[in-house]
Amino acid sequence: MMADRPHPDTIAVGAGYDPAAHHGAAKPPIYLTSTFVYRDALHARTAHEGYLAGRAPESGPDEGYIYARLDHPNLQMLQERMAALDRAEACAVFNSGMAAISTTLLSLVRPGESVVHTSPLYGGTDGLLNNLMGPVHGVKAFPIGDAVDEAAISAAVDRALAHGRLGVIWVETPSNPLAGIADIALIARIARRLELQQGAAPLVVVDNTFMGPLLQNPLEQGADLCMTSLTKYAGGHSDLLGGSVSGRFALVEPLRKMRTLMGTHLDPHGCWLLLRSLETMGLRTERAGRNAEAVARFLRDHPKVARVTYAGFLPEDSAARATYERQCAGAGSTFVFDIKGGEAEAFRMLDALRVLRLAVSLGGTETLICHSATTTHFSVPKARREASGVSDATIRLSVGIEHEADIIGDLAQALERI
Ligand SMILES: *Cc1c(COP(=O)(O)O)cnc(C)c1O
């Protein structure tokens, strides 16, 4: 018997593409065209009416594509597949995770408003809020101390309301790189309570990059929008950049309009690569997750390792653990560990690696490793960096799909060199 809704692994393989609509081609053709020819003058008018009304080009015989910055067939296919994976009504796809984030925040937050966010934030999001929207738009950002604690979330909300109307609560969970957990359902409940107070509730937007659609579904937890950097686990091969935002049609449609103005759409070839990559996301997520658990256990038991922040090791009986178990279907495969020592010891270990590659980014087939303080967190002042848990001994690891014995073997021989 067919289930009501196909399994996500099945959605990832085929949703959003119908061979019958494309000459029977088993795989999506790439529509390399910047513009689309109208059948006649009336068709041109109805196509533009359709765009302004927010109707998808394939939704009726009189609709149509206009110009690839507005919309194009490969974008539609990928949006439909990502919407299905995120269990959303609609999705907008962008040319990077940051394009998705900047288009969303610049659409949703008015000058003078405030934003509440989990902390630490992805560096690009932090920069957008504090270096652009702060000084240029008078938007003030307020961090949440402990995002599984109701009092701490409410305190950040109260501070924000004292500054100005609260436009957005931006949630990253698990956080990069320390796997800090935020309770999406709790934050969504607190946001809804503000509806009477300020006319409309602030929108809760979750950056789901660290887990991806197979391990965490923010919309089902009560979030309004789910943002994902497709560069990471969706792309999965460290060879493209992309981003997406999913949610109710009424919220996503204005983001597509803003995307047209900002030119932040993803091109046909990038969409096609992502459609192809998504087909193996289930297999990759499973294998990388199993490897990550084995690597995390090896590191936890190693005498030269001081700490491992793998989400699977969250302390029993903690609020973070309870939230993690309710919210996530797995621990993912990116985490940090601290070696005993500092920068010199970390560098010695990293330079002794033979299989693992030294690079930022995450979610690829290959295992990537980097020294956080001198790479991803280089621009964060030392005091703030250390307060957020990133010391000179902190190393981030994105575990890939190689054989686990080779990953562990490489780490073992490199740790001996410290
Ligand atoms: C990488 C990343 C982003 C930004 O995505 P890009 O595709 O690099 O622009 C945003 N949030 C998180 C959590 C990320 O890891």
Side-chain angles (χ1 to χ4, degrees):
M1 216 180 76
M2 281 289 287
D4 291 349
R5 180 168 58 197
H7 190 279
D9 288 353
T10 309
I11 292 171
V13 172
Y17 180 65
D18 176 12
H22 302 273
H23 307 285
K27 287 293 162 185
I30 305 177
Y31 285 87
L32 283 179
T33 186
S34 60
T35 193
F36 295 82
V37 177
Y38 309 115
R39 284 189 302 277
D40 51 34
L42 180 62
H43 177 216
R45 193 176 85 181
T46 53
H48 285 256
E49 274 169 7
Y51 172 74
L52 290 173
R55 287 194 290 272
E58 74 283 10
S59 65
D62 290 333
E63 309 298 337
Y65 293 101
I66 297 167
Y67 186 66
R69 178 158 44 75
L70 281 57
D71 206 345
H72 59 79
N74 294 104
L75 196 58
Q76 279 287 334
M77 293 173 202
L78 179 56
Q79 288 177 168
E80 205 175 316
R81 188 169 300 176
M82 280 309 301
L85 283 169
D86 287 333
R87 292 171 212 160
E89 233 170 58
C91 172
V93 162
F94 300 86
N95 57 29
S96 69
M98 276 314 300
I101 294 170
S102 52
T103 306
T104 301
L105 280 173
L106 290 169
S107 299
L108 297 179
V109 185
R110 303 270 158 273
E113 289 189 349
S114 55
V115 170
V116 161
H117 62 83
T118 55
S119 178
L121 275 179
Y122 178 72
T125 314
D126 193 300
L128 175 71
L129 285 171
N130 293 308
N131 304 340
L132 176 76
M133 296 179 73
V136 178
H137 299 171
V139 169
K140 202 157 160 48
F142 296 87
I144 298 173
D146 178 359
V148 293
D149 179 65
E150 180 157 2
I153 301 164
S154 296
V157 165
D158 289 343
R159 280 196 298 279
L161 290 172
H163 169 261
R165 188 178 179 283
L166 177 54
V168 162
I169 303 182
W170 191 271
V171 178
E172 245 182 76
T173 184
S175 70
N176 177 5
L178 294 170
I181 300 286
D183 187 335
I184 300 169
L186 174 62
I187 291 170
R189 277 201 302 280
I190 292 171
R192 305 259 137 82
R193 275 187 222 142
L194 298 179
E195 192 170 344
L196 280 181
Q197 196 173 338
Q198 61 169 26
L203 292 176
V204 176
V205 188
V206 174
D207 180 339
N208 201 34
T209 302
F210 253 54
M211 284 279 144
L214 299 181
L215 298 179
Q216 180 169 269
N217 192 297
L219 299 176
E220 292 200 334
Q221 299 289 324
D224 295 292
L225 290 168
C226 168
M227 174 268 150
T228 309
S229 167
L230 302 177
T231 310
K232 313 295 169 57
Y233 289 101
H237 296 71
S238 307
D239 56 6
L240 61 84
L241 287 102
S244 66
V245 180
S246 299
R248 296 191 298 283
F249 181 80
L251 292 178
V252 171
E253 175 53 25
L255 301 182
R256 291 187 186 146
K257 293 262 163 43
M258 184 62 113
R259 179 184 66 190
T260 294
L261 298 181
M262 295 176 72
T264 46
H265 64 288
L266 185 60
D267 68 292
H269 189 252
C271 292
W272 180 86
L273 273 173
L274 273 160
L275 286 164
R276 182 180 176 138
S277 288
L278 283 170
E279 296 187 21
T280 54
M281 185 169 62
L283 292 172
R284 288 185 279 105
T285 302
E286 218 175 282
R287 171 66 171 257
R290 250 195 340 244
N291 280 352
E293 187 176 350
V295 172
R297 279 182 200 289
F298 162 78
L299 290 169
R300 185 177 59 177
D301 298 338
H302 198 285
K304 290 185 178 169
V305 173
R307 169 185 82 146
V308 179
T309 69
Y310 179 64
F313 297 161
L314 285 166
E316 300 289 339
D317 305 325
S318 63
R321 176 99 210 169
T323 306
Y324 162 74
E325 284 180 357
R326 174 163 42 79
Q327 213 166 261
C328 309
S333 48
T334 301
F335 57 89
V336 300
F337 63 99
D338 287 1
I339 51 159
K340 290 182 182 159
E343 184 181 291
E345 287 76 12
F347 279 18
R348 264 209 300 286
M349 185 233 142
L350 291 170
D351 288 340
L353 291 164
R354 297 178 198 136
V355 177
L356 275 50
R357 304 210 168 124
L358 251 68
V360 298
S361 199
L362 55 110
T365 50
E366 72 291 340
T367 301
L368 298 179
I369 191 164
C370 65
H371 180 245
S372 301
T374 52
T375 60
T376 55
H377 289 66
F378 199 68
S379 58
V380 183
K382 191 176 166 88
R384 189 144 75 85
R385 168 168 63 74
E386 289 189 336
S388 81
V390 177
S391 77
D392 290 340
T394 301
I395 291 171
R396 188 176 78 179
L397 191 57
S398 163
V399 179
I401 64 169
E402 304 95 332
H403 196 285
E404 73 173 59
D406 290 322
I407 305 170
I408 292 173
D410 200 26
L411 284 165
Q413 65 83 18
L415 282 164
E416 288 315 309
R417 304 279 291 275
I418 292 179

